[in-house]
């Protein structure tokens, strides 16, 4: 498998400031008036909600003071013209409107539209509520009257549509600024904002629809994206040649499985085998080796007590996965140190990462796969701080430790040595259960063993893992989803 193998297509993501730069280029260089962009935004949003809920005929719109509020007035005017029962609530007095937003408000009023004083109970009678309060313009925690308006939306029993970005959600990081509107549909304009796809963004944005507003492609190409979005589905690895033999597909050594944790090592090893590694060995406690071989006879399981035994296994391996069920002990430290001395490609997870945090070092030949808690230990921070800006955390981890970093969580981020971070939205809350990280470790190690470079192995591995979880959840539900439920979907996906 060559280094030019590209298993996924990537879609650009941008910071809010970068999209504002596109808006300015569209106005100044492409000659599209700001008022026309606003009209197109409102029309796109109204078309999207009509397509999603074709039977609806009642609409409430919450309008703020800026251009996001202007977009809302356009939606209200179009809905009213289509015969809908429309109610507009101005969270900011219309007297404070300026520029294109003022023009949109005046056009709505000239068409006979009324603007009501905000009373939370009133809009609850509508089928659809449109959030046009802040969009991407918010950079501080909501408080006071605005926070009261946003919290009132949480009691709304109908459908909620956010324009551009749910109000209260930080467009660059996906962090909720105190409180935020929880939308079922977000119609975002010109280009995709990266905060919609990681952290709390996935939950608060709901389904995301992009309306490019007819901005010319050359305007977008002039602005470099700050992240790349991975697709929800992937294609598997290329077909194997007829003359294939197991030696062509690498030998993964999984290091872990301390007392009481042999299952973690087994799951990682089986995942590596299920995605196509030619051979898979396990280095574990002597008491576990024979039990693992009985449970999965295709695995070569070895009891390891000292350096000579692990060294013999490392000499036969092509990739090493360290961490599943490893724990933190002198035995574990010896195994990790031996793996580091081997100069083989490494995948580090779980206590492999915790041991690294205790004795930091840097390497370009490993893939680190921390969840936010492990990332916090690696950076001497806290999980809450990691979640405040997952993009920054992934970048700092890569800069400090080298290699490729996979920051797991809602909207997993993959950061390589060069280029933009990659974001994967596949996966579901059912995967918040023990063993899921062990499966991912094995998947990535199995792909590395088959010749993918580290960044592509991490990228495809994360996509396969999340998509397998989604397939397993569709088959039996999210609650009660087990890590081992992913093994059969993984085999199907890597062969498609």
């Amino acid at each position: 498998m060559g280094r030019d193998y590209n298993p996924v297509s990537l879609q650009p993501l941008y910071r809010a400031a970068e999209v504002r730069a596109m808006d300015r280029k569209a106005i100044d260089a492409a000659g599209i008036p700001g008022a026309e962009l606003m009209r197109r935004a409102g029309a796109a949003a109204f078309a999207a909600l009509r397509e999603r809920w074709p039977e609806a005929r009642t609409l409430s719109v919450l309008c703020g003071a800026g251009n996001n509020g202007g977009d809302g007035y356009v939606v209200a005017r179009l809905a009213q013209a289509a015969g809908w029962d429309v109610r507009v609530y101005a969270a900011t007095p219309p007297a404070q409107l300026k520029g294109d937003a003022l023009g949109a408000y005046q056009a709505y009023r000239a068409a006979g539209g009324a603007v009501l004083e905000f009373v939370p109970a009133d809009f609850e009678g509508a089928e659809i509520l449109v959030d046009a309060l802040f969009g991407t313009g918010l950079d501080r925690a909501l408080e006071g009257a605005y926070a009261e308006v946003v919290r009132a939306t949480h009691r709304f029993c109908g459908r909620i549509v956010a324009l551009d970005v749910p109000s209260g959600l930080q467009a660059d990081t996906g962090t909720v600024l105190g409180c935020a509107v929880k939308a079922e549909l977000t119609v975002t304009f010109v280009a995709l904002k990266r905060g919609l796809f990681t952290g709390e963004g996935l939950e608060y944005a709901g389904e995301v629809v992009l309306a490019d507003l007819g901005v010319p492609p050359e305007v977008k190409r002039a602005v470099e994206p700050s992240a790349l979005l991975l697709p929800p589905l992937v294609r598997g690895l290329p077909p194997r040649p007829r003359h294939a033999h197991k030696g062509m597909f690498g030998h993964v050594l999984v290091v872990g499985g301390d007392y009481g944790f042999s299952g973690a090592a087994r799951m990682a090893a089986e995942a590596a085998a299920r995605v196509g590694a030619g051979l898979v060995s396990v280095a574990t406690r002597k008491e576990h080796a024979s039990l693992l071989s009985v449970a999965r006879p295709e695995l070569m399981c070895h009891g390891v007590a000292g350096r000579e035994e692990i060294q013999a296994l490392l000499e036969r391996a092509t990739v090493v996965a360290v961490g599943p069920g490893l724990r933190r002990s002198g035995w574990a430290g010896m195994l990790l140190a031996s793996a580091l001395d081997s100069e083989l490609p490494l995948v580090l997870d779980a206590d492999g990462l915790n041991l690294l945090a205790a004795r930091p070092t840097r390497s370009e030949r490993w893939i680190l796969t921390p969840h936010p808690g492990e990332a916090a230990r690696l950076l001497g921070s806290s999980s809450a701080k990691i979640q405040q800006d997952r993009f920054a955390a992934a970048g700092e981890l890569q800069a400090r430790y080298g290699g490729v970093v996979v920051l797991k969580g809602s909207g997993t981020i993959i950061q390589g040595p060069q280029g933009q971070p990659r974001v994967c939205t596949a996966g579901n809350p059912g995967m918040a259960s023990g063993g899921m990280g062990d499966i991912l470790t094995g998947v990535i190690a199995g792909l590395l063993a088959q010749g993918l470079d580290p960044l592509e192995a991490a990228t495809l591995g994360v996509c396969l893992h999340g998509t397998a979880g989604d397939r397993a959840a569709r088959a039996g539900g999210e609650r009660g989803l087990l890590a081992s439920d992913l093994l059969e979907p993984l085999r199907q996906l890597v062969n498609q």
Side-chain angles (χ1 to χ4, degrees), residues 149-378:
V149 172
V150 168
R151 292 192 185 101
T153 68
H154 297 168
R155 302 191 295 271
F156 182 68
C157 296
R159 314 294 193 174
I160 298 181
V161 179
L163 302 188
D164 214 10
V165 171
S167 295
L169 185 74
Q170 216 288 333
D172 295 346
T173 65
T175 303
V176 168
L177 298 169
C179 61
V181 172
K182 186 175 287 188
E184 187 171 344
L185 173 67
T186 295
V187 184
T188 197
F189 307 127
V190 181
L192 296 174
K193 288 77 182 175
R194 67 184 202 174
L196 297 173
F197 300 99
T198 195
E200 295 167 294
L202 286 168
E203 181 176 359
Y204 280 80
E207 179 188 355
V208 177
V209 172
L210 172 63
D212 66 12
L213 309 189
V215 172
E218 58 270 20
V219 168
K220 293 186 178 184
R221 286 196 294 267
V223 180
E224 187 77 11
S226 64
L228 298 168
L229 178 65
L230 299 168
L233 294 175
V234 298
R235 57 185 173 93
L237 299 177
R240 291 181 167 183
R242 294 295 297 172
H243 64 279
H245 57 84
K246 60 181 179 287
M248 296 172 63
F249 306 110
H251 186 163
V252 174
L253 174 62
V254 174
V255 178
D258 201 354
Y259 297 122
F261 291 85
S262 61
R266 180 203 160 171
M267 284 188 290
E270 188 166 352
R274 288 294 186 185
V275 298
L279 294 166
V280 182
S281 295
V282 180
T284 187
R285 290 287 189 180
K286 289 185 180 294
E287 293 85 345
H288 294 156
S290 60
L291 295 174
L292 291 176
S293 294
V294 170
R296 177 52 67 195
E298 295 87 350
L299 305 177
M300 297 175 289
C301 302
H302 306 268
V304 173
R307 273 189 176 267
E308 289 187 6
E309 293 162 313
I310 187 64
Q311 185 61 38
L313 297 176
L314 288 166
E315 288 173 0
R316 296 196 294 270
T318 54
V319 173
V320 188
V322 184
L326 185 64
R327 304 190 77 183
R328 283 173 269 185
S329 64
W331 176 77
M334 177 272 295
L335 293 174
L336 176 60
S338 298
L340 292 175
D341 291 343
S342 71
E343 298 187 357
L344 291 169
L346 302 174
V347 183
L348 262 62
D349 186 32
D351 281 319
L353 296 169
N354 293 326
L355 290 168
L356 176 63
R359 292 188 175 182
T361 186
R362 180 184 174 88
S363 175
E364 298 305 327
R365 59 188 172 87
W366 59 28
I367 299 172
L368 308 181
T369 64
H371 58 53
E374 292 158 347
R377 286 187 281 278
L378 288 165

Side-chain angles (χ1 to χ4, degrees), residues 455-468:
L455 181 58
E456 295 309 330
T459 299
L460 180 57
V462 167
C463 286
L464 286 169
H465 181 258
T467 305

Side-chain angles (χ1 to χ4, degrees), residues 14-21 23 136-137 170-172 193-194:
Y14 298 89
R15 295 184 177 91
E18 293 161 346
V19 180
R20 284 194 287 272
D23 286 341
T136 64
Q170 216 288 333
D172 295 346
K193 288 77 182 175
R194 67 184 202 174

Side-chain angles (χ1 to χ4, degrees), residues 77 80 104-113:
R77 176 173 57 79
Q80 182 172 275
Y105 162 75
Q106 292 170 336
Y108 168 69
R109 294 285 285 139

